[in-house]
Amino acid sequence: MKKISFSFGASLGGSTTTFTELKESFGAAALAAQRWLAETPSCTEGHGWLALPDSPVEEIEETAAWLAGYDSVIQVGIGGSALGNLMLNQALLDGFYNESTPGPKFYLADNPDPDKTLSIWERVKEGRVALVGVSKSGATAETMTQFLWYRSELLKKGQSDADILVITDPEKGIFRAFANGSDCRVMELPASVGGRYSVLCPAGLVTAAALGIDAPALLKGAAAMRDFLTAEKDFDKNPALKLGAIHLLHEREGRPMSVLMPYSSKMAYFAEWYAQLWAESLGKNGLGTTPVRALGAIDQHSQVQLYTEGPDDKFFTLICAEGHGVELSVPAIEHEALSPLKYLDGQGIGAMLNLEAKSTAAAIVKSGHPLVWLELEKLDAETVGALVFFYEYLTALTGRMMGINPFDQPGVEQGKKYTYGLMGRAGYEKDAEEVGEWFRKIAAERIEAL
Ligand SMILES: O=P(O)(O)OC[C@H]1O[C@H](O)[C@H](O)[C@@H](O)[C@@H]1O
């Protein structure tokens, strides 16, 4: 079996378009987008992720070894400066409980929720703590708030700025200025790499490597995927070209939701990471498809009723990892009352999960909905690196085919500016006023329920 394979047989669902027509309608645009990705220099704003698989790893490994000497690592960051880390840890380590990872205990302080901020600190405060601040802009209020709080606690307990690492833009931002004026460590988040495309640079790799994840293998997988996607010019043999076209087709035919449903608890954060990538990159100019994260088999018992018998407004990707990290089988059943369960005797739990994935796929397709079946040989660093690159490539390619810029996020910036205004940051007074006006509208027609 190949490491990663895509089956498109049911991907057109109830559409009357054939694969030949799909290629006729979108093939040229897909190839043009492929050329654009291949020919735009990677130093161009937004395009830097294409070159990340070739990055040297020495600095990453050296910094990771330094971090591994701490009892705990707290990373502050949000969005693209957090989801990739969570995704890698969950997929490649025992990322379920954050308890049995081989390196230091790792905590990601993404949401600036005081309950969580404090709860993390209570867990780590007795030991030696490293603080890692990740922010491309070096200014995001959620990240800065928590950075300031944890740094102050760190200093109070006698540690210093030498226990801090910031990963940020090479020139701009408050983090960069802090790094220039203190003895903390600093690494670059390349200027041409946007936050949500940054997991294969120090932003994602340093803490991953500190916890024992094989960063060179991640990059190796990503490089192999990049070379394949760039070289394969045949629409029928390149899954990114085909999938980009299929997404556009379904968006035009009234299926504006893209459900990603891995059948693996280790991939729950993969769906979260994908959701940011897809939504921020493609939701523009009144266009875009809404990414929906689902998890098999859990959502089989929650969402599948809607997926099969609800409206035909979704496109599904089911991910099945053929090999799970461990194999557990159901032991022989000797208790009389449990004998109706004998059909489970000796069956693998992972094998059952895979069969459930197949069953759900079949049920969705039987209901007439479009579905792509994505099969992974196993979940290792090379495969995850390749899959990460695949989705980054697919997203950028689809954005180009839609005629939008897949590397900016103007709609998110507005909310950031409003928050700056409300928090009293100089230069954002007008934004604060605007929030007031909008909020008067929101608060009208109020009902006090209790
Ligand atoms: O890395 P930062 O600059 O702190 O940004 C963190 C996040 O902020 C915003 O929400 C952007 O829309 C995201 O794309 C970004 O990942």
Side-chain angles (χ1 to χ4, degrees):
M1 182 194 163
K2 286 284 195 189
K3 278 184 186 301
I4 301 179
S5 54
F6 296 81
S7 303
F8 287 100
S11 61
L12 300 183
S15 172
T16 51
T17 305
T18 63
F19 280 111
T20 312
E21 287 162 348
L22 180 81
K23 186 172 166 178
E24 279 166 12
S25 304
F26 299 102
L31 283 166
Q34 184 193 42
R35 269 198 307 282
W36 174 69
L37 288 174
E39 290 167 9
T40 310
S42 59
C43 56
T44 312
E45 188 164 342
H47 289 255
W49 56 277
L50 282 148
L52 291 178
D54 305 325
S55 310
V57 287
E58 288 74 21
E59 193 190 358
I60 287 169
E61 291 189 326
E62 188 271 317
T63 312
W66 164 74
L67 275 181
Y70 284 85
D71 298 316
S72 313
V73 174
I74 301 176
Q75 176 170 329
V76 292
I78 199 163
S81 296
L83 291 171
N85 307 81
L86 292 166
M87 178 262 285
L88 292 181
N89 294 352
Q90 186 180 62
L92 298 171
L93 299 170
D94 177 4
F96 304 122
Y97 311 112
N98 187 37
E99 280 165 0
S100 54
T101 49
K105 295 271 179 284
F106 179 72
Y107 298 91
L108 219 154
D110 47 4
N111 215 17
D113 179 322
D115 287 320
K116 184 175 177 191
T117 308
L118 186 61
S119 160
I120 292 174
W121 187 250
E122 290 299 325
R123 281 172 166 72
V124 304
K125 66 182 184 191
E126 302 306 335
R128 273 177 46 77
V129 181
L131 178 60
V132 179
V134 184
S135 176
K136 171 72 198 291
S137 61
T140 305
E142 293 89 338
T143 301
M144 296 300 140
T145 308
Q146 296 193 90
F147 177 78
L148 292 171
W149 194 85
Y150 284 123
R151 176 173 178 266
S152 153
E153 293 302 311
L154 209 65
L155 299 183
K156 274 191 235 160
K157 80 194 234 19
Q159 290 193 232
S160 73
D161 284 342
D163 299 305
I164 295 177
L165 163 68
V166 295
I167 304 175
T168 193
D169 185 272
E171 288 173 10
K172 297 190 304 253
I174 298 162
F175 264 172
R176 177 54 60 179
F178 171 73
N180 292 343
S182 82
D183 60 354
C184 77
R185 291 192 177 221
V186 61
M187 291 184 82
E188 283 189 7
L189 203 168
S192 58
V193 177
R196 60 187 175 272
Y197 292 84
S198 71
V199 61
L200 297 177
C201 84
L205 296 182
V206 171
T207 57
L211 301 180
I213 290 174
D214 188 345
L218 278 166
L219 295 181
K220 186 175 168 204
M225 182 57 87
R226 180 196 52 197
D227 296 347
F228 166 63
L229 295 175
T230 308
E232 184 52 77
K233 308 256 177 345
D234 185 341
F235 181 84
D236 292 317
K237 293 188 183 149
N238 187 322
L241 302 183
K242 206 158 182 158
L243 208 42
I246 289 168
H247 272 291
L248 257 61
L249 173 79
H250 289 309
E251 189 196 16
R252 286 182 196 177
E253 292 197 347
R255 295 182 197 90
M257 278 176 263
S258 167
V259 179
L260 190 76
M261 186 170 184
Y263 266 73
S264 160
S265 288
K266 300 194 93 172
M267 293 191 76
Y269 268 120
F270 187 86
E272 293 283 340
W273 170 83
Y274 150 82
Q276 184 203 6
L277 181 67
W278 195 257
E280 279 197 344
S281 301
L282 305 184
K284 281 159 209 171
N285 302 351
L287 301 172
T289 50
T290 303
V292 178
R293 333 58 152 155
L295 184 64
I298 291 174
D299 281 310
Q300 221 172 292
H301 303 277
S302 161
Q303 303 295 306
V304 167
Q305 171 61 35
L306 171 78
Y307 290 172
T308 51
E309 295 190 0
D312 185 19
D313 57 0
K314 300 172 204 66
F315 167 69
F316 297 89
T317 304
L318 259 65
I319 305 182
C320 178
E322 198 53 43
H324 294 271
V326 289
E327 257 320 326
L328 295 181
S329 323
V330 178
I333 291 167
E334 22 46 63
H335 194 291
E336 185 49 32
L338 298 176
S339 62
L341 299 176
K342 271 213 179 294
Y343 75 100
L344 294 174
D345 250 14
Q347 303 249 28
I349 295 178
M352 182 177 89
L353 196 58
N354 294 350
L355 294 178
E356 294 201 277
K358 267 191 189 139
S359 308
T360 303
I364 290 173
V365 171
K366 184 180 178 190
S367 311
H369 304 305
L371 177 138
V372 162
W373 176 255
L374 205 177
E375 209 163 293
L376 310 177
E377 187 188 23
K378 61 178 179 218
L379 212 54
D380 62 9
E382 257 184 79
T383 308
V384 170
L387 204 58
V388 160
F389 196 90
F390 177 82
Y391 272 100
E392 291 178 343
Y393 191 93
L394 172 67
T395 305
L397 181 105
T398 308
R400 180 69 176 184
M401 289 170 73
M402 290 162 64
I404 50 125
N405 176 1
F407 304 130
D408 65 359
Q409 59 282 332
V412 183
E413 299 308 323
Q414 186 59 75
K416 277 188 163 185
K417 287 182 190 158
Y418 282 164
T419 304
Y420 292 148
L422 293 180
M423 298 290 284
R425 184 171 173 184
Y428 294 87
E429 296 77 4
K430 228 178 141 314
D431 291 286
E433 272 173 39
E434 259 188 46
V435 181
E437 282 161 31
W438 287 115
F439 218 79
R440 269 190 291 284
K441 187 175 167 64
I442 293 168
E445 297 281 336
R446 187 179 168 94
I447 300 175
E448 307 280 350
L450 283 176

